[in-house]
Amino acid sequence: MSTRSFGEPVKRNEDRRLLIGQALFIDDIELPGMLHAALLRSQVAHARIKKIDFSRALQRPGVVAAYVAGDLGDYWQPGPILVPPPPIEGIVFHERTQVPLAKDKVRHVGEPLVIVIAENRYIAEDALDDIDVELEPLPAVVDLERGLSAGSALVHEDVGSNVSAWVRQTRGNYAAAAAKADRIITRRFWYEHGISSPIETRGVVAQWDMRANQMTIWDTTQAPVFVRNGLAGMLGLNERQVRVIAPFVGGGFGPKIMMFYPEEVLLPWVSMKLNRPIKWIEDRLEHFFATTHERGQIHDAEIALTNDGRILGIKDVFLHDGGAYDPYGLTVPINSQCTLLGPYVVPNYDSTFTQVFTNLPTVTPYRGAGRQHGVFVMERLLDLAAHELNIDPAEIRRRNLIPPDAFPYNNEIIYQDFEVLEYDSGNYEPVLDMALDAIGYGKFREQQAAARLQGRHLGIGVACYVEGTGIGPYEGAKVQVQGNGKVSVATGIGTQGQGHFTVFAQIAADQLGVAVTDVDVVTGDTDQFYWGAGTFASRGAVVAGNAVNEAAKVVRKKALKLASDLFECSEDDLVIDDGKVSIVGIPEKFVKLGDLANQANPMRGAVEPGTEPGLESTQYFGPKMGATANGVHAMIIEMDPRTFDLKILRYVVVHDCGTVINPMILAGQIHGGVAQGIGNAFYEKLVFDDQGQLLNASLADYLLPTALEVPRMELAHTVTKSPLNPMGIKGAGEAGAIPGGPLFAQAIEDALDLRARGIELLEIPLSPSRLFELTRKAAQT
């Protein structure tokens, strides 16, 4: 019986624990003597702190302690820069990072001022009302362009302006290309703020054991190793004294890799101070302010073309709203700048962005991490060009696709991983053709015309994209065969629902010839695996997966060597399957893997010099650069022209992520990404007033797509293996979320024939209310 599972839709190992309620989440943790924390957060976006008096709060029964910034002493420090700016010539970057508790000044609504510790969360929350805070309000910086104007209030006075960063990258000579162009199209595009809205909000539990001299932290983080290293340094502890556990996490999507949130810094310090475990769980209202946001951008872009629709060049100048601090460097706007190029030949490119400090919550990567913006600008420019040049939208894309013989394709600008933006491999035209065939593109106009006779308004959209995935620096894995024949795999990354417990098991099982259910995977526990970077940038399978594969290969080689010595035969005459090593053609001549593991750890007798005990290996993998996945989404919608109610009739995704480990889990990643892309494109928008107050901070006002709005999807895949890793894998975690904006804009314009009414959709999101406003304005002009 073959145990090979690689590439098969194996059911997830982790699901039983989740379904019977035995998976450990942060809020499940209950410890003896546990106290609970609540934070008093600023209710204004920009103000000087004049007074904070919490003496009355301390008198409330059940309140144990309260702390302000001054109580932290030398422990009060700004957080680190998580990702330094890339080495781009002429770059400007002003580092200003978040602090544990605001001191002297608050810079956004929700910034914490006081932490209160009590016997339970209810008492801690009530005590917040006992605190007397006096703030001197300052003008808030909310509008990006006004924030850069002379006389604007300053988020950080010592910077001298609200410029967080400035970056220009070029390829070729755009000005010369534009001078030769037959057509130049210029537009302004807007992309608004949103939040990640995971099922599980953030949480931290910290327990200081004074007798053991050990700090244990449970954290909803995507990067437990970095959290351990950073907090050990801050707390004055050895890294071995700090254990960080990222248990099951109910969705991460990027904001949970942010470091360090104030709560992550405060709770361990308070636990050491009081020698008691402390717990904090973010409530849903806090999530609107206390967790980092996704991005807001304004692009002034132009495209230069020939009359037959060939791109000669693109120029883009954009503003990126970084919020009050910039701990994540330039990851998001660099992603926008680079991903705009898409799967197309763009001989000349001139892109400049300014990252702006504002009095809004900090912006860090969220699923897609700026790629949405670049794709929106490029795909909308191509739609505009197709209309003006009377070329079919799919055809203008086809004419500009990078040909398969051009790979590796060098875009000549610097990507967020500090390397030149080079696409490692791809074959884009078949992906486009598959998507067009699947959606019935050639027959759609007949379908649309027939529907119009019935009073129904159908529209179609097609969008192409690339996805930078699998960046370094590295990940590691330890693979071990135990004496009972089971296999254990440990890796440093955390998991937030991606199926790591299954795909890593499939990789190890494939090498070692065991059932997937006989592989136990541990992720996100720094005591189980010491080194790692984290789960982000669609890199889990690419980087950690290859580390698991390399470690399993070494264990396989050790098992074959031990068995060849036992059977006195060549390793080439042996086969590993069904949990045992047997001689080819003589299946009854075998030894179980568990027995080999026991023999590799003898209780008596001599061993050869250099022999390693046990049947295990720890290996690391770090790619030179990221692998580039690509895909095409196509969608048919029906829209009511009066209410702007939208129904997705068909949704097609064709994707190339290299080697597929588990098609069922891959499909789940695509489904989840598309759901978030739909929310991003049509529902989710944070609305701030001119004083930085969020006007829709509830799920009654901030719209999320539900199961009723997320359609069934038709998925297909092509495989172009990446040459950058032994398994040929490319990432897929963000693919579903990236092209939703232009897809919706194109389909809505088509359904309502908006161009004939002089309306262009140049912004995201496009909610029914916003579409009503746009059409009403057009009718009045």
Side-chain angles (χ1 to χ4, degrees), residues 447-671:
Q447 179 185 354
Q448 185 183 46
R452 284 289 173 91
L453 294 175
Q454 302 170 359
R456 299 171 59 214
H457 294 257
L458 306 187
I460 194 167
V462 177
C464 305
Y465 64 94
V466 295
E467 178 193 2
T469 77
I471 63 173
Y474 71 93
E475 289 297 337
K478 178 181 179 180
V479 175
Q480 178 184 13
V481 177
Q482 301 173 60
N484 61 1
K486 305 283 188 179
V487 176
S488 69
V489 174
T491 182
I493 69 172
T495 186
Q496 304 91 43
Q498 299 93 334
H500 290 159
F501 294 99
T502 305
V503 294
F504 295 159
Q506 286 182 263
I507 294 169
D510 187 63
Q511 289 288 352
L512 298 174
V514 299
V516 173
T517 52
D518 285 338
V519 182
D520 177 60
V521 176
V522 176
T523 69
D525 185 338
T526 61
D527 268 17
Q528 295 292 316
F529 197 84
Y530 197 81
W531 295 110
T535 308
F536 56 92
S538 300
R539 66 189 298 275
V542 180
V543 189
N546 272 281
V548 172
N549 189 53
E550 294 306 304
K553 283 198 295 187
V554 173
V555 173
R556 176 189 178 91
K557 186 175 181 180
K558 286 183 176 181
L560 290 173
K561 176 64 171 64
L562 288 168
S564 70
D565 291 343
L566 178 67
F567 293 133
E568 297 180 341
C569 68
S570 169
E571 293 178 27
D572 294 336
D573 295 329
L574 299 173
V575 60
I576 299 182
D577 200 12
D578 198 21
K580 58 195 177 188
V581 184
S582 60
I583 297 177
V584 175
I586 315 175
E588 65 274 12
K589 192 78 170 179
F590 70 86
V591 60
K592 293 181 179 179
L593 280 176
D595 292 338
L596 287 176
N598 288 324
Q599 292 174 29
N601 186 29
M603 291 293 291
R604 293 289 187 274
V607 295
E608 293 292 325
T611 299
E612 295 180 359
L615 202 52
E616 67 176 56
S617 176
T618 298
Q619 299 293 321
Y620 295 87
F621 177 75
K624 181 180 183 299
M625 62 182 66
T628 305
N630 73 93
V632 175
H633 290 207
M635 178 176 69
I636 295 175
I637 66 164
E638 180 174 350
M639 176 161 267
D640 187 314
R642 293 165 299 178
T643 66
F644 302 100
D645 179 51
L646 183 147
K647 291 183 176 63
I648 301 174
L649 304 182
R650 295 186 65 194
Y651 200 109
V652 168
V653 179
V654 182
H655 187 248
D656 181 357
C657 61
T659 304
V660 176
I661 303 171
N662 186 316
M664 182 183 69
I665 288 176
L666 174 60
Q669 285 285 290
I670 300 296
H671 290 164

Side-chain angles (χ1 to χ4, degrees), residues 212-231:
N213 211 25
Q214 180 77 26
M215 173 67 75
T216 303
I217 302 164
W218 292 263
D219 191 359
T220 51
T221 180
Q222 296 174 233
V225 173
F226 282 162
V227 171
R228 177 205 61 200
N229 295 352
L231 289 178

Side-chain angles (χ1 to χ4, degrees), residues 38 180 337 340 353 363 509 520 559 667 671:
K180 300 176 182 177
Q337 188 173 64
L340 185 147
F353 72 77
V363 168
D520 177 60
H671 290 164

Side-chain angles (χ1 to χ4, degrees), residues 206-489:
Q207 181 183 33
W208 171 245
D209 187 333
M210 185 177 290
R211 289 184 174 180
N213 211 25
Q214 180 77 26
M215 173 67 75
T216 303
I217 302 164
W218 292 263
D219 191 359
T220 51
T221 180
Q222 296 174 233
V225 173
F226 282 162
V227 171
R228 177 205 61 200
N229 295 352
L231 289 178
M234 294 180 208
L235 296 167
L237 299 174
N238 186 296
E239 289 174 6
R240 286 293 186 189
Q241 292 177 269
V242 179
R243 180 184 185 185
V244 173
I245 303 168
F248 279 90
V249 175
F253 311 129
K256 287 182 182 174
I257 200 175
M258 159 70 183
M259 290 178 287
F260 292 91
Y261 280 108
E263 302 83 11
E264 287 176 317
V265 175
L266 291 168
L267 263 70
W269 182 86
V270 174
S271 183
M272 292 184 74
K273 194 88 170 172
L274 301 178
N275 196 30
R276 290 179 67 177
I278 314 292
K279 183 178 189 177
W280 171 80
I281 303 295
E282 180 184 64
D283 66 35
R284 189 58 65 177
L285 176 61
E286 279 183 298
H287 179 72
F288 280 90
F289 308 99
T291 292
T292 55
H293 288 182
E294 57 173 313
R295 55 274 139 190
Q297 290 183 4
I298 302 172
H299 289 251
D300 289 300
E302 63 181 62
I303 184 170
L305 307 106
T306 62
N307 280 329
D308 63 353
R310 304 282 178 177
I311 299 172
L312 297 178
I314 292 175
K315 182 177 182 180
D316 184 32
V317 178
F318 69 96
L319 302 179
H320 172 75
D321 187 347
Y325 302 100
D326 53 14
Y328 230 105
L330 305 178
T331 299
V332 176
I334 288 285
N335 269 352
S336 300
Q337 188 173 64
C338 292
T339 308
L340 185 147
L341 294 168
Y344 307 112
V345 176
V346 182
N348 301 280
Y349 185 46
D350 190 332
S351 174
T352 303
F353 72 77
T354 302
Q355 181 166 283
V356 184
F357 285 122
T358 63
N359 291 120
L360 300 180
T362 301
V363 168
T364 65
Y366 162 85
R367 197 173 196 170
R371 297 175 181 89
Q372 285 96 326
H373 306 72
V375 172
F376 181 70
V377 172
M378 170 60 92
E379 294 297 296
R380 289 272 69 198
L381 286 173
L382 286 175
D383 289 338
L384 294 162
H387 175 71
E388 291 198 18
L389 297 172
N390 197 27
I391 301 172
D392 179 79
E395 177 58 28
I396 198 170
R397 287 165 168 80
R398 184 190 307 278
R399 291 180 188 180
N400 288 287
L401 291 174
I402 299 168
D405 60 0
F407 293 94
Y409 187 79
N410 188 344
N411 285 289
E412 301 176 24
I413 60 175
I414 303 297
Y415 190 46
Q416 54 130 326
D417 62 358
F418 292 24
E419 298 292 334
V420 173
L421 180 64
E422 182 175 283
Y423 300 165
D424 57 306
S425 60
N427 190 4
Y428 298 153
E429 190 168 10
V431 178
L432 176 61
D433 287 336
M434 288 174 66
L436 296 177
D437 289 344
I439 203 72
Y441 193 82
K443 297 181 180 179
F444 174 73
R445 294 305 168 197
E446 298 175 16
Q447 179 185 354
Q448 185 183 46
R452 284 289 173 91
L453 294 175
Q454 302 170 359
R456 299 171 59 214
H457 294 257
L458 306 187
I460 194 167
V462 177
C464 305
Y465 64 94
V466 295
E467 178 193 2
T469 77
I471 63 173
Y474 71 93
E475 289 297 337
K478 178 181 179 180
V479 175
Q480 178 184 13
V481 177
Q482 301 173 60
N484 61 1
K486 305 283 188 179
V487 176
S488 69
V489 174

